[in-house]
Amino acid sequence: MPIIKTINLSRTYSKKDIEVNALNSASIEIHEGEFVSIVGKSGSGKSTLMNLIGGLDTPTQGEIFFNGEKLNGMTRKQLALHRRFSVGMIFQSFNLIPTRNALENIKLPLILAGIPRNIQNKKAIELIEMVGLSGRHKHYPGELSGGESQRVAIARALANSPKVLLADEPTGNLDSVTSEEIIGHLSGLNRGKGLTVLMVTHDLETAEKVSDKIIQLADGKIVNILTK
Ligand SMILES: Nc1ncnc2c1ncn2[C@@H]1O[C@H](COP(=O)(O)OP(=O)(O)OP(=O)(O)O)[C@@H](O)[C@H]1O
Ligand SMILES: [Mg+2]
C-alpha cells in the first residue's frame, strides 16, 4: 500500500471571476522509503500539491489517501492531527519562530503534542545533534546561517517522528554549496533512516541525483513521471 496516493486530485482557486486550475487531475503514488521530487516551472502547482498532501489545504475534486486513510472528508481536528503527527513540513523561508532559540523551536511540536517535559528536552537535544548543530542550542534564528536555520527546521519537522517529510523548495534561499549540504542531509535521512521524502525543487540535476522518482508538473498537470 502506498503511503501517499492521490486520485484525480484538483484544486481550483476562484478569485472574483478568475478561476485558476492550480492542480488539475493529478494522480500519484508514493511508497514508504522513497525519495520523490516534484519539478516544474513557477506556478505549475507544486506548492498546491504539497499543501494538499500536508493537510494545509483541501482539494476541490479528487481524493488523497495517507497510509490508506482518506484525507479529504476529514474533520478539522483530524486534519490537525495529520499535520502534527503524520507529516513534517519544511519551506524555502525556514519559518522558524524568531523569538525562540534553536532548541526551543525544535521543542515546539513536542510541547504541542503534550510530550512530558523531560522527554521534550532529551528528544530536542537528540534532534539538534542529528542535524549537526550541537553548538547552536541557544542561538536565535537571526543568529543562524541559512543552512543552519534549515537544519533547525528539519529537526523541528522530524520532532514527532512523521512518516513523511514534505520539503517545499528547501534550498530555494541557499547558495549552491549549502544547498548540497541540505540535500545531503535529506538524502541521508532517507537512505539511513528510511524516511519518506517528498521534495519540491527547481533543480532537476540535484533531483536526478537523489530521487527514486521525479514528478514533473506543467500548468497543474502531471506531464511526466521519471522512475529510477
Ligand atoms: N491561495 C491562492 N489563491 C488563488 N490562486 C492561487 C493561490 N495559491 C496558488 N494560486 C495559483 O495557483 C497556481 C499554482 O500555484 P503554486 O503555488 O502551486 O505554484 P508553484 O509551482 O509552487 O510555483 P513556485 O515555483 O513559484 O513556488 C498559480 O498560478 C497561483 O497563482
Ligand atoms: Mg511553490
Side-chain angles (χ1 to χ4, degrees):
M1 180 173 71
I3 182 86
I4 295 166
K5 185 179 167 81
T6 74
I7 305 170
N8 298 328
L9 195 64
S10 299
R11 177 62 162 108
T12 304
Y13 293 109
S14 307
K15 269 258 143 109
K16 298 259 168 78
D17 48 356
I18 296 182
E19 281 214 336
V20 178
N21 293 315
L23 196 67
N24 193 343
S25 204
S27 300
I28 62 169
E29 276 192 12
I30 293 167
H31 292 89
E32 218 161 347
E34 278 186 327
F35 195 121
V36 179
S37 292
I38 303 173
V39 299
K41 282 190 190 156
S42 181
S44 60
K46 305 182 296 296
S47 295
T48 302
L49 178 56
M50 290 295 259
N51 293 342
L52 290 170
I53 293 170
L56 297 175
D57 191 12
T58 48
T60 36
Q61 268 191 332
E63 293 176 309
I64 318 178
F65 294 90
F66 189 92
N67 212 15
E69 281 192 76
K70 198 159 136 180
L71 278 195
N72 49 304
M74 275 188 179
T75 62
R76 286 170 69 150
K77 192 158 183 208
Q78 286 171 318
L79 267 185
L81 290 175
H82 170 72
R83 288 194 296 270
R84 188 167 300 160
F85 295 107
S86 301
V87 294
M89 291 189 93
I90 60 170
F91 304 91
Q92 179 171 347
S93 47
F94 320 131
N95 294 1
L96 298 176
I97 296 178
T99 53
R100 296 271 186 270
N101 68 33
L103 205 64
E104 290 165 344
N105 264 280
I106 296 170
K107 233 186 262 177
L108 202 66
L110 299 166
I111 296 171
L112 293 173
I115 306 289
R117 217 167 178 168
N118 57 331
I119 302 175
Q120 280 172 24
N121 279 321
K122 193 166 159 276
K123 186 89 210 259
I125 290 168
E126 250 172 55
L127 287 157
I128 204 165
E129 273 161 21
M130 180 192 74
V131 294
L133 288 176
S134 36
R136 300 287 184 279
H137 290 205
K138 299 240 157 108
H139 280 58
Y140 285 85
E143 300 165 341
L144 296 167
S145 72
E148 288 167 350
S149 298
Q150 196 57 296
R151 277 145 72 190
V152 171
I154 293 171
R156 184 181 60 178
L158 298 180
N160 287 321
S161 312
K163 286 199 163 286
V164 177
L165 180 69
L166 302 172
D168 192 349
E169 294 199 55
T171 63
N173 277 331
L174 303 173
D175 62 71
S176 58
V177 174
T178 312
S179 293
E180 255 184 58
E181 187 198 302
I182 291 298
I183 301 285
H185 257 291
L186 298 182
S187 181
L189 287 164
N190 171 254
R191 303 224 169 130
K193 301 196 187 243
L195 181 70
T196 309
V197 180
L198 180 59
M199 175 178 80
V200 168
T201 180
H202 273 111
D203 181 357
L204 187 60
E205 204 181 314
T206 307
E208 278 170 346
K209 273 190 219 153
V210 297
S211 313
D212 300 303
K213 202 188 272 174
I214 299 177
I215 297 168
Q216 221 174 329
L217 280 174
D219 293 326
K221 284 203 177 105
I222 294 175
V223 288
N224 200 6
I225 298 181
L226 295 162
T227 310
K228 234 179 218 166

